[in-house]
């Protein structure tokens, strides 16, 4: 079995109001709430997982909604954009939908030969909806308002902004197995050939730009996908050999993880496919129950009383 990075596993961001976050991603963007749980380190805060029907790696966007948190600031040493893949011809639908719901957006433009539309979520997190050149075969989650003709497939790319991209590019190419595909002005596109989708990382080099501040409306970390724990530990050894600090293996209930900060300052995670989101709920029930890590189960009544209501 090859030891490979299989593109993006999930992306985790920070939000403010939990209900606004839940309403925006399930209603306006039409994603499925795949898992409703709590922050491992702060059980009085939700941890939401949104994605496709099955919670497929490469479709999972997660949030820590901390009520009253201050706004972050986009800048260098950050993931500054999240790109979703949408069907060809769907950007008119999305532009109309965003406008109707008073979402801040820019009209479609073209990058690397692909049409895309930029918008901000309620906390200012920046997204791009991209009509990918390569047809996306991933099955979407469908709602009453967002049909499969327009629905989000999963991740297309992430963008990292950096003052100097050399060290980050070296981690992508020499450790994670990406290759430079093409460059437009100060944006370089790196891609992995191990998967068809959720396979792109863009590095934007902005030498004079200020360092960003991670808070509300910011990406906390990006997780890259591996098949299993054996592969996870293979990459841990590679990262240790570079002299970088990396955590021990952590059980996140739905995957196993390692965390390290790449030299450009962005927090990277490596996450396994196993055991997946149906380990404690059936496919049909995903996201309908509050699932607590075992250490907090005895405090369920208290935690349920503190968490914000979503109805």
């Amino acid at each position: 079995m090859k030891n490979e990075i299989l593109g993006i596993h999930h992306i985790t961001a920070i939000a403010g109001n939990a209900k606004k976050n839940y309403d925006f991603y399930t209603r306006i963007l039409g994603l499925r709430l795949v898992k409703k749980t709590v922050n491992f380190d702060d059980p009085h805060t939700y941890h939401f997982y949104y994605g496709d029907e099955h919670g497929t790696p490469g479709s999972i966007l997660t949030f820590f909604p901390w009520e009253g948190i201050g706004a972050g600031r986009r800048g260098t040493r950050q993931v500054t954009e999240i790109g979703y893949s949408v069907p060809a011809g769907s950007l008119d639908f999305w532009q109309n939908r965003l406008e109707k719901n008073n979402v801040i957006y820019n009209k479609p433009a073209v990058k690397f030969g692909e049409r895309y539309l930029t918008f901000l979520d309620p906390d200012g997190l920046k997204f791009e909806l991209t009509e990918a050149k390569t047809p996306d075969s991933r099955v979407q989650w469908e709602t009453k308002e967002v049909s499969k003709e327009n629905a989000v497939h999963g991740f297309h790319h992430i963008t990292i902004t950096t003052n100097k991209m050399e060290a980050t590019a070296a981690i992508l190419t020499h450790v994670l197995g990406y290759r430079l595909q093409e460059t437009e002005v100060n944006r370089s596109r790196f891609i992995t050939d191990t998967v068809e989708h959720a396979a792109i990382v863009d590095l934007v080099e902005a030498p004079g730009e200020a360092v960003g501040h991670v808070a509300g409306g910011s990406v906390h970390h990006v997780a890259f996908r591996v098949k299993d724990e054996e592969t996870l530990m293979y990459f841990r050894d590679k990262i240790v050999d570079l002299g970088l600090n990396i955590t021990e293996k952590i059980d996140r209930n739905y995957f196993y993880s390692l965390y390290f900060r790449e030299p450009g300052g962005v927090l990277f995670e490596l996450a396994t496919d196993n055991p997946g989101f149906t380990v404690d709920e059936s496919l049909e029930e995903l996201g309908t129950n509050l699932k607590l890590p075992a250490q907090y189960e005895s405090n369920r009544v208290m935690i349920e009383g503190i968490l914000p209501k979503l109805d």
Side-chain angles (χ1 to χ4, degrees), residues 247-288:
T247 66
E248 298 295 331
K249 181 178 71 174
I250 300 172
D251 182 354
R252 292 304 193 195
N253 285 6
Y254 311 112
F255 43 84
Y256 295 91
S257 295
L258 301 168
Y259 298 84
F260 71 101
R261 199 168 293 278
E262 55 86 22
V266 178
L267 185 60
F268 280 3
E269 177 183 354
L270 304 179
T272 64
D273 281 0
N274 64 296
F277 292 104
T278 55
V279 69
D280 59 2
E281 286 181 299
S282 68
L283 177 62
E284 294 72 25
E285 289 181 312
L286 285 180
T288 60

Side-chain angles (χ1 to χ4, degrees), residues 145-302:
E145 296 185 19
V146 184
S147 68
K148 288 185 178 179
E149 288 74 23
N150 301 302
V152 167
H153 286 282
F155 296 129
H156 178 267
H157 70 278
I158 60 164
T159 297
I160 294 172
T161 300
T162 179
N163 296 120
K164 187 173 176 61
M165 69 176 241
E166 183 179 1
T168 303
I171 293 294
L172 289 176
T173 56
H174 300 329
V175 178
L176 303 185
Y178 282 72
R179 61 177 174 83
L180 177 62
Q181 185 182 54
E182 55 186 319
T183 299
E184 284 187 356
V185 194
N186 66 333
R187 179 182 290 265
S188 297
R189 174 153 288 184
F190 293 80
I191 189 166
T192 177
D193 299 316
T194 59
V195 287
E196 287 187 60
H197 309 295
I200 298 169
V201 176
D202 284 356
L203 297 185
V204 171
E205 192 170 63
E209 189 166 332
V211 174
H213 172 60
V214 174
S218 303
V219 171
H220 186 270
H221 64 267
V222 57
F224 293 91
R225 178 185 178 190
V226 296
K227 179 176 174 56
D228 53 28
E229 294 162 78
E230 182 179 350
T231 312
L232 188 74
M233 301 312 288
Y234 166 83
F235 279 101
R236 187 181 192 279
D237 290 342
K238 289 190 71 169
I239 293 160
V240 168
D241 288 345
L242 291 175
L244 297 177
N245 292 321
I246 185 168
T247 66
E248 298 295 331
K249 181 178 71 174
I250 300 172
D251 182 354
R252 292 304 193 195
N253 285 6
Y254 311 112
F255 43 84
Y256 295 91
S257 295
L258 301 168
Y259 298 84
F260 71 101
R261 199 168 293 278
E262 55 86 22
V266 178
L267 185 60
F268 280 3
E269 177 183 354
L270 304 179
T272 64
D273 281 0
N274 64 296
F277 292 104
T278 55
V279 69
D280 59 2
E281 286 181 299
S282 68
L283 177 62
E284 294 72 25
E285 289 181 312
L286 285 180
T288 60
N289 306 293
L290 176 65
K291 309 304 293 186
L292 296 178
Q295 64 268 34
Y296 299 129
E297 191 60 56
S298 62
N299 295 322
R300 173 175 286 274
V301 174
M302 182 267 290

